[in-house]
Amino acid sequence: MMKKLLFSTLSLFLLVFMLPMVSSADEPIPLYLNGERLEPEVPPRLVQDTTMVPVRIIAEALGADVEWNQDEQQVTITVDQTKIWLWIGKLDAVVNASSYKLDQVPPMNDAGNTLVPVRFVAENLGLMVKWDNENRAVHMISEQPEPEQPVTEPDQPESPSEEHPAEPGMEPGAPQVPGGTPAPDPIENPGEEVQLPRIESIQLNNEQLVIQGTDELRANHFSLVNPHRIVIDLPNTVLGEQMAANMVNNTGELYVDHPMIEKIRYSLYSDKPYTVRVVIDLNSKASYKLVDQNEWNQVVMNFQPFIYNVVIDPGHGAKDPGAGSVVGKTEKEFNLSMSLKVKQLLDAEPLIQPLLTRNDDTFLELDERAAFANSQNADVFVSIHGNSFRPETRGTETFYYKADSRELADIVHKHVLEATGFPDRGVKKSRFRVITVTSMPATLLEIGFLSNEIEAPQMFEEEFQQRVAEAIVNGIKEYLGV
């Protein structure tokens, strides 16, 4: 009996020290898929800053097939055309035909469950993974959001913890805040019955909005997208008589002649507390800020066009020529020539600041290209390439990796495909380094095949390059809504 007890204790001791070191924050990590909490048999946990989750719960949530090879200590995950191979205790991983190294922590066994790094598996299955530091939770988000989800989200609200009620003039039905909570309908103006500051006027002077009240005003503000607008809430206020009289169906509208603004709307939105809401409907995204000023009965907001940083990345360069072509020129030459034309066209766009990762025959590592885009707080990243394969292979194809890049890839591909006239090889997901580690929506374009005797000669023609450059610019503009 003592031998058995000693053996069990020794086995447990060895097992503990054979497992990867667990951080002091080793506690159950909530796991969500599209907002719904998953309940695995073994809770996810943090190991050396890597969130490890039971592979079975991901498989069940996504409808994946999971196979276990006991001899090889190997787990295989299959969803549609994607197959992932992982091994217990090894940092090696294979996705389809590509090999990878996991960052720090290999898959492990825990009470008969195989734990895998959630980010690596989920992102290779087409999910976005976000870490909620405040609640110490992991959120997995599918590429196609549920249709019931609101299409508008707050953009850096002044008070992120507050839920913002819906703006006046939303479509019929229960208005929704970005978090999905029904908001009250607008109410009639109480007029003189409530002794609160009254909003007497809303005026637009060039790039400055002035809200005039009868007493001290304070304001909360946030922005929304799809479509772009700025929302200003004025708590503990009501509307002046004239402004209330101009409302139709509890909403007043001010039409303005301004290139950035379509119209301005207002309403007495709530009576708990009384709140006047002002909505600025924008023609495109804008930068704005409240102005500190001495007039205590005014709210003044300055705004100006939002300038988008767009990084264009000519692939390869210098010692890295890229693919050769059947016309004797190299891919790096094609990439740079195309990119310079794209930048020249973008230079003429007042709302876009184009930036090149290289503007001459210079070599940059892949991570240097991505780091440049990240350091510039870029809004869009487009990497331009020429393709190469068998002599008979033809066509235009476009790649993305992160879920938030799919729309960009689809739009630019549509324009480029029409401009090239080459066969459509589609929009595909791939782990190209420059579109994996960039923090903004990113896409990689393979314009055509330099190894094909039909496409290669066209790709080095000035007229062709100019036409495709215009298509890339049109795609970027459509995506940004400028």
Side-chain angles (χ1 to χ4, degrees):
M1 183 67 181
M2 283 297 296
K3 289 183 178 180
K4 288 185 178 181
L5 180 60
L6 179 61
F7 178 78
S8 299
T9 304
L10 180 59
S11 298
L12 179 60
F13 178 84
L14 291 174
L15 177 61
V16 169
F17 280 90
M18 287 174 65
L19 287 173
M21 183 66 66
V22 178
S23 71
S24 60
D26 183 26
E27 58 186 43
I29 305 292
L31 180 66
Y32 296 86
L33 175 62
N34 292 330
E36 294 189 11
R37 182 163 179 171
L38 305 180
E39 298 292 345
E41 294 181 9
V42 176
R45 57 187 175 132
L46 202 61
V47 181
Q48 296 181 19
D49 295 326
T50 299
T51 305
M52 306 294 288
V53 301
V55 66
R56 189 68 59 184
I57 193 67
I58 297 181
E60 291 175 355
L62 300 178
D65 293 325
V66 176
E67 300 176 11
W68 171 252
N69 186 319
Q70 179 66 29
D71 294 336
E72 298 289 335
Q73 293 288 287
Q74 176 198 78
V75 62
T76 305
I77 309 164
T78 305
V79 178
D80 297 329
Q81 303 301 312
T82 301
K83 182 171 286 191
I84 303 172
W85 290 268
L86 299 164
W87 289 264
I88 298 296
K90 294 184 179 180
L91 293 175
D92 300 289
V94 175
V95 181
N96 293 337
S98 301
S99 298
Y100 300 95
K101 284 286 187 182
L102 302 177
D103 290 336
Q104 291 182 341
V105 183
M108 63 182 70
N109 278 325
D110 183 0
N113 290 270
T114 301
L115 302 186
V116 296
V118 62
R119 183 173 297 277
F120 180 84
V121 173
E123 288 184 347
N124 275 288
L125 295 178
L127 301 176
M128 285 193 297
V129 178
K130 294 186 177 181
W131 169 254
D132 178 357
N133 191 54
E134 181 178 352
N135 299 304
R136 295 186 58 76
V138 173
H139 289 263
M140 299 185 297
I141 305 167
S142 64
E143 293 184 32
Q144 299 298 326
E146 296 295 325
E148 292 81 13
Q149 292 292 326
V151 297
T152 58
E153 297 180 358
D155 184 8
Q156 295 181 339
E158 188 177 59
S159 302
S161 61
E162 292 184 11
E163 290 185 332
H164 302 287
E167 85 242 18
M170 290 186 72
E171 295 299 320
Q176 299 285 318
V177 299
T181 304
D185 292 328
I187 61 173
E188 298 292 339
N189 192 52
E192 300 297 334
E193 296 179 7
V194 179
Q195 299 302 313
L196 291 173
R198 298 186 304 276
I199 303 302
E200 297 290 357
S201 66
I202 302 173
Q203 295 182 340
L204 179 66
N205 302 315
N206 296 323
E207 296 180 353
Q208 189 170 80
L209 181 79
V210 179
I211 301 174
Q212 182 71 49
T214 59
D215 207 333
E216 184 175 2
L217 301 177
R218 65 182 181 87
N220 299 319
H221 58 89
F222 57 98
S223 64
L224 298 172
V225 297
N226 298 327
H228 293 294
R229 55 231 193 262
I230 300 169
V231 180
I232 305 170
D233 280 342
L234 304 153
N236 299 311
T237 60
V238 295
L239 292 167
E241 291 183 7
Q242 187 59 50
M243 295 198 69
N246 291 334
M247 292 196 302
V248 177
N249 295 327
N250 295 314
T251 300
E253 292 189 356
L254 304 174
Y255 290 90
V256 296
D257 183 14
H258 195 283
M260 290 172 52
I261 299 175
E262 179 185 352
K263 60 186 175 184
I264 299 172
R265 295 175 285 147
Y266 65 89
S267 74
L268 183 68
Y269 190 73
S270 172
D271 61 353
K272 294 180 181 178
Y274 283 107
T275 300
V276 171
R277 169 162 285 194
V278 179
V279 179
I280 306 169
D281 290 312
L282 302 168
N283 294 321
S284 61
K285 190 174 181 180
S287 300
Y288 68 94
K289 66 177 180 178
L290 289 182
V291 178
D292 292 329
Q293 36 80 46
N294 296 324
E295 298 294 334
W296 48 269
N297 61 339
Q298 285 185 348
V299 171
V300 179
M301 176 176 284
N302 284 349
F303 58 94
Q304 58 188 11
F306 186 90
I307 306 301
Y308 293 93
N309 286 337
V310 174
V311 172
I312 304 299
D313 173 45
H316 307 284
K319 66 180 183 180
D320 175 16
S325 74
V326 295
V327 296
K329 296 183 178 180
T330 61
E331 183 190 354
K332 70 175 183 179
E333 298 174 72
F334 170 77
N335 298 343
L336 181 60
S337 181
M338 280 293 314
S339 298
L340 290 174
K341 289 179 173 62
V342 171
K343 181 182 183 300
Q344 184 177 31
L345 292 169
L346 289 175
D347 280 334
E349 297 294 331
L351 300 182
I352 295 177
Q353 173 64 52
L355 303 162
L356 289 173
T357 56
R358 67 179 181 98
N359 57 15
D360 55 18
D361 191 20
T362 302
F363 174 76
L364 292 170
E365 298 286 355
L366 299 179
D367 282 353
E368 289 181 285
R369 299 168 189 266
F372 171 76
N374 292 339
S375 70
Q376 298 298 316
N377 294 318
D379 299 285
V380 166
F381 178 91
V382 178
S383 189
I384 297 177
H385 291 257
N387 223 333
S388 181
F389 198 50
R390 291 189 293 264
E392 67 274 13
T393 306
R394 296 190 57 196
T396 297
E397 57 189 351
T398 301
F399 294 91
Y400 74 100
Y401 177 68
K402 303 184 299 294
D404 65 356
S405 301
R406 180 61 192 261
E407 182 184 4
L408 171 66
D410 283 339
I411 292 173
V412 176
H413 180 78
K414 173 188 67 176
H415 286 274
V416 172
L417 183 66
E418 182 178 353
T420 64
F422 295 164
D424 184 3
R425 295 177 60 86
V427 177
K428 305 172 182 178
K429 183 175 181 178
S430 181
R431 291 180 64 93
F432 288 118
R433 185 68 177 173
V434 291
I435 59 174
T436 301
V437 297
T438 39
S439 59
M440 70 296 305
T443 187
L444 186 147
L445 311 178
E446 295 280 11
I447 305 298
F449 280 81
L450 297 169
S451 52
N452 180 266
E453 62 182 10
I454 297 175
E455 295 183 356
Q458 297 181 60
M459 292 169 66
F460 286 97
E461 293 175 357
E462 280 292 311
E463 189 276 334
F464 175 92
Q465 290 189 4
Q466 191 65 32
R467 185 172 73 245
V468 174
E470 291 173 359
I472 294 172
V473 169
N474 289 337
I476 293 171
K477 289 173 61 180
E478 180 180 335
Y479 173 74
L480 294 176
V482 301

